[in-house]
Amino acid sequence: MTFQAIQEPRVSYLEQIMLEIESGLVKVPRFQRKDVWDWKAQRDLLCSIYEGLPIGAILLWQTRLPNIKSRDNIGPFRVPKQEFSPNHSYILDGLQRLTTLYSMVFHPRESVVTEKKSTLPSYEVYCDLEASTIEDKFVLASQLQRLDIDPLSPNYYPMRFVFNSKETMRFQRNISEKNESWIDSIDELVSAFKNYKLPIVPLSSDDQQLATKSFERVNSRGEDMSETHMLNALSYSDKFELLEQIEVYSEKYLSETPLWQDGLDDEFILMAMKLAVGKGPYFKQTDELASLIGKEQVEIVYKAIKRMIDFSQAELFIEAPNAYPYKLQMLGLTYAFMNDATIENKKLKAWYHLTSYYGLFGLTGRVSENALNDLIRFVDWGVYNWSSSLPVKLLPIPQDVNYRSSRAKALLYAMAARLDGRVDSEYRQDIAKKKGRSVSLAKEFSDENRRVGFLFMTKDNDFSVSALPEEELELHFLNREILDLYQKGLLNEFASAREELIFKWEVSQFVDPSLDELSISLDERLQK
């Protein structure tokens, strides 16, 4: 008889499932995502069990495969692996529910992982015996700490005692006569959890693809699952685990640039991997992608990211991912360095400036994808072609320096570039840290709005336009004509004239040279 998928649901007491997890009979496969539920979802689960409401079935994958890696812990608690058992059970669906119940109710304190002891208050739950509503019945130790409430107060029953009769009885003996009703409340609570039954659906198969496909199907509903975690599950084998390789190569190539290591999210890494295997950044066929990605592709991506970071710092003076006007610019440059392209850095720099000042990645999705594909073809074929069919104009000076605005980021770097090399400072390198605080109102304009014409990039907290020496006026986009407007009290005219001067300088320094570098001519599609 062949060993194949058989789905015959069974019913198990909640406590029995907890004991099976504690003993290592039921395990969490490494391809599962980690804890994602917040306290509201966890509390609602506890309330449902207390009220006897259904919480859904648990799907367990039962297999004889010996090479499926499992996690060492659930929440902050260590669990054994039972490596030598001939049969293995892995949680495919229901992990967030079981993690909540194991960590907050079963709560095996003696198994806590040493380095996670400090997180225990986030898993330690009490039942407030004085609560008047079900929503207020359960409370975290961390919440009590913030409210300066002693969790040892007699009205707070520790949920970790639910499956420990001796501790429950000891707690009840300390309840005063005037609060005898609390004893009945505890008995009712304990009975609700001890007598609660869960439907268990076993998926018995030695076919890992069948198991991961089931995992994909059940996780396509309910709590959103990231594309990276789904890809991790579908590409998982005893020789390759995507998330593990991401951690390894992130540490190998990015550990010396922590702002980049922390700032590049899973979405960006995954988009780069898609490009590495010849797919578009928005390719959604995860199962096909899983068959193409392996250890080699992960390392190729991280090597390219490291080169992109080096280029960003050396050529663009960009010190962190959030300083890029658009994420897709980083992606395009990563692709360029992924393929050992012979394109000169000055051409990549020109592409960066043009896409920033024309806002190509801030228009429609189609225009953004075309702009990225233009660079990909440039890398692959060596010829740059502006393929957008829409008329595109230079983005004007922004109304305010909001660091979330791509145009504002370009403006900040232009203002910093004007200063760098002319004064003894590195303004561009400070922008990633200071963001919108990189510029401030001059003392004379402290009562005005944060219009760009009134903003100056300076390290002087008491900066004054009137105190500027003649030789520094040009550095701050000022001249005698513009100062005359200020002295006449024509502040809006002053701001407008200064903004016009800044814009002309940006065009002369970044836009025109970039158009020339990439041999792009202005026409009805590309205008100033």
Side-chain angles (χ1 to χ4, degrees):
M1 178 180 178
T2 57
F3 191 60
Q4 57 185 346
I6 303 172
Q7 298 185 17
E8 296 179 358
R10 62 181 174 87
V11 175
S12 177
Y13 283 105
L14 173 59
E15 184 176 13
Q16 180 60 37
I17 296 295
M18 298 293 101
L19 291 170
E20 290 177 3
I21 292 173
E22 183 187 38
S23 66
L25 292 175
V26 172
K27 294 173 276 196
V28 180
R30 286 287 298 270
F31 59 69
Q32 273 276 20
R33 56 185 169 170
K34 297 182 180 179
D35 308 348
V36 296
W37 270 17
D38 58 16
W39 167 239
K40 182 182 183 302
Q42 294 166 332
R43 185 197 63 198
D44 288 349
L45 178 71
L46 299 178
C47 290
S48 294
I49 292 177
Y50 177 71
E51 295 179 296
L53 300 175
I55 62 170
I58 304 299
L59 178 62
L60 294 183
W61 174 30
Q62 297 179 337
T63 181
R64 298 174 298 190
L65 293 174
N67 55 2
I68 306 301
K69 296 178 183 178
S70 62
R71 292 218 208 124
D72 297 323
N73 62 282
I74 291 185
F77 304 108
R78 185 177 293 105
V79 290
K81 290 190 176 181
Q82 292 282 358
E83 299 284 3
F84 302 106
S85 172
N87 298 306
H88 308 274
S89 292
Y90 299 95
I91 302 169
L92 283 189
D93 187 39
L95 177 62
Q96 303 303 318
R97 286 167 282 162
L98 292 180
T99 295
T100 297
L101 294 169
Y102 189 81
S103 301
M104 296 182 165
V105 182
F106 198 74
H107 199 83
R109 294 172 76 94
E110 67 282 356
S111 301
V112 67
V113 179
T114 302
E115 58 269 23
K116 295 190 177 185
K117 280 186 178 180
S118 61
T119 68
L120 275 180
S122 297
Y123 295 92
E124 197 166 0
V125 181
Y126 292 86
C127 174
D128 184 358
L129 301 172
E130 291 184 328
S132 57
T133 65
I134 184 66
E135 288 79 13
D136 297 327
K137 200 165 192 66
F138 301 104
V139 61
L140 283 171
S142 57
Q143 294 174 321
L144 296 177
Q145 288 176 357
R146 287 196 297 271
L147 296 171
D148 201 24
I149 296 175
D150 185 1
L152 297 180
S153 299
N155 62 302
Y156 289 110
Y157 170 75
M159 289 299 290
R160 68 178 184 275
F161 291 170
V162 163
F163 296 119
N164 190 325
S165 299
K166 288 184 179 179
E167 291 293 349
T168 295
M169 291 176 63
R170 186 177 291 117
F171 184 92
Q172 288 176 316
R173 282 197 295 268
N174 291 326
I175 295 176
S176 63
E177 290 186 9
K178 67 176 182 178
N179 292 317
E180 279 190 355
S181 62
W182 291 357
I183 296 176
D184 294 334
S185 296
I186 292 173
D187 287 341
E188 181 183 358
L189 175 74
V190 170
S191 176
F193 279 81
K194 278 195 167 184
N195 294 323
Y196 194 85
K197 295 178 180 178
L198 279 171
I200 308 295
V201 178
L203 176 66
S204 300
S205 176
D206 287 341
D207 184 347
Q208 184 181 321
Q209 286 190 336
L210 177 63
T212 51
K213 178 60 71 174
S214 299
F215 176 78
E216 179 184 19
R217 294 274 173 82
V218 299
N219 280 284
S220 63
R221 54 181 170 76
E223 189 77 25
D224 287 343
M225 186 176 197
S226 75
E227 189 179 3
T228 306
H229 279 86
M230 183 60 71
L231 182 60
N232 181 65
L234 297 178
S235 63
Y236 174 86
S237 72
D238 59 322
K239 296 179 180 179
F240 177 73
E241 182 183 349
L242 177 60
L243 292 180
E244 181 180 66
Q245 293 302 313
I246 286 176
E247 289 180 8
V248 168
Y249 289 116
S250 174
E251 186 63 24
K252 180 176 179 180
Y253 291 104
L254 307 186
S255 60
E256 294 182 0
T257 51
L259 288 177
W260 294 88
Q261 187 175 30
D262 297 337
L264 293 173
D265 57 21
D266 286 349
E267 180 188 25
F268 176 82
I269 302 299
L270 183 56
M271 291 171 81
M273 287 187 192
K274 291 177 181 179
L275 294 184
V277 296
K279 302 297 181 182
Y282 303 111
F283 183 75
K284 291 297 183 183
Q285 300 300 319
T286 314
D287 51 350
E288 181 181 345
L289 199 61
S291 67
L292 301 173
I293 289 180
K295 182 178 178 180
E296 179 183 356
Q297 286 72 35
V298 178
E299 184 166 21
I300 286 172
V301 164
Y302 273 96
K303 282 182 177 179
I305 290 174
K306 178 64 171 65
R307 294 180 64 190
M308 181 271 291
I309 293 171
D310 292 343
F311 171 84
S312 301
Q313 294 175 324
E315 299 290 341
L316 306 176
F317 297 90
I318 290 180
E319 293 294 323
N322 65 7
Y324 262 92
Y326 304 101
K327 179 187 286 188
L328 287 181
Q329 289 174 314
M330 287 190 294
L331 188 65
L333 293 172
T334 297
Y335 180 81
F337 294 117
M338 191 186 298
N339 289 271
D340 292 322
T342 57
I343 297 176
E344 299 172 276
N345 281 355
K346 60 182 181 180
K347 294 190 181 296
L348 294 177
K349 190 174 178 180
W351 175 83
Y352 163 78
H353 286 309
L354 284 185
T355 53
S356 295
Y357 280 98
Y358 279 97
L360 291 187
F361 293 111
L363 298 172
T364 67
R366 181 180 295 276
V367 172
S368 295
E369 197 160 359
N370 283 342
L372 181 62
N373 288 333
D374 286 346
L375 180 68
I376 290 174
R377 285 189 289 268
F378 188 26
V379 171
D380 294 342
W381 303 340
V383 178
Y384 188 79
N385 178 50
W386 187 281
S387 66
S388 176
S389 59
L390 295 176
V392 181
K393 290 186 176 182
L394 278 176
L395 295 177
I397 287 281
Q399 293 297 308
D400 185 14
V401 179
N402 180 333
Y403 198 68
R404 291 188 295 273
S405 160
S406 58
R407 181 61 176 90
K409 291 178 182 179
L411 170 68
L412 287 176
Y413 275 89
M415 296 176 76
R418 177 84 155 194
L419 292 165
D420 286 341
R422 304 286 295 278
V423 293
D424 187 20
S425 185
E426 293 293 338
Y427 283 89
R428 280 175 287 192
Q429 294 183 358
D430 289 340
I431 292 176
K433 298 175 184 177
K434 294 182 177 179
K435 301 180 182 178
R437 294 178 287 105
S438 300
V439 289
S440 57
L441 292 167
K443 187 165 62 174
E444 292 88 345
F445 310 119
S446 58
D447 294 330
E448 301 297 325
N449 59 36
R450 282 179 57 84
R451 179 176 174 176
V452 168
F454 296 133
L455 295 173
F456 291 82
M457 185 168 288
T458 174
K459 297 181 184 296
D460 183 357
N461 293 328
D462 198 33
F463 180 80
S464 171
V465 170
S466 58
L468 273 175
E470 187 76 27
E471 63 271 15
E472 290 189 18
L473 293 179
E474 184 184 355
L475 289 176
H476 294 283
F477 301 99
L478 292 169
N479 56 37
R480 276 293 141 206
E481 290 77 9
I482 294 176
L483 282 179
D484 285 345
L485 294 172
Y486 158 68
Q487 290 165 354
K488 292 176 181 178
L490 302 174
L491 298 187
N492 285 330
E493 289 80 354
F494 165 89
S496 295
R498 185 165 175 262
E499 288 165 2
E500 183 180 353
L501 190 61
I502 294 172
F503 182 71
K504 287 181 177 178
W505 190 82
E506 288 181 293
V507 171
S508 67
Q509 293 296 310
F510 302 114
V511 178
D512 287 343
S514 297
L515 290 169
D516 292 341
E517 186 63 47
L518 295 177
S519 301
I520 297 175
S521 300
L522 295 176
D523 56 24
E524 67 279 359
R525 295 178 305 154
L526 190 64
Q527 306 166 20
K528 283 189 182 177

